[in-house]
Amino acid sequence: WRAYRYTGAKYAKQVAQSLYIAELGKFVLTISLLAVIFLMLPLENYWLIFAAYLSIWLVHQIASFYWIGKKPV
């Protein structure tokens, strides 16, 4: 929501900086929540969390590459 405070070519640098900050916030939130989950789960269930996270990430990456260059319906 804060990434789109600026619009237009005049504010391209601010838009890019806002997007980078938002991405950093998402990364920090992900790491924090994974740390909480790891503290709450028994030691033998860590692989399930990694498998779920990697599968969701992979689906997102594949979908992103699939939709590049496609026109919206």
Side-chain angles (χ1 to χ4, degrees), residues 34-59:
L34 281 173
V36 168
I37 289 171
F38 287 153
L39 291 174
M40 297 176 70
L41 279 180
L43 190 59
E44 63 271 2
N45 291 335
Y46 285 163
W47 69 272
L48 290 172
I49 299 301
F50 280 121
Y53 180 76
L54 287 176
S55 64
I56 290 171
W57 178 81
L58 186 62
V59 167

Side-chain angles (χ1 to χ4, degrees), residues 2-3 5-6 13-23:
R2 293 185 65 179
R5 288 187 292 188
Y6 310 103
K13 186 175 180 179
Q14 287 89 347
V15 170
Q17 184 178 14
S18 296
L19 290 172
Y20 288 132
I21 291 171
E23 189 67 29

Side-chain angles (χ1 to χ4, degrees), residues 1-32:
W1 106 98
R2 293 185 65 179
Y4 297 106
R5 288 187 292 188
Y6 310 103
T7 57
K10 181 179 175 183
Y11 297 107
K13 186 175 180 179
Q14 287 89 347
V15 170
Q17 184 178 14
S18 296
L19 290 172
Y20 288 132
I21 291 171
E23 189 67 29
L24 177 65
K26 184 175 78 168
F27 181 72
V28 169
L29 182 63
T30 300
I31 296 300
S32 301

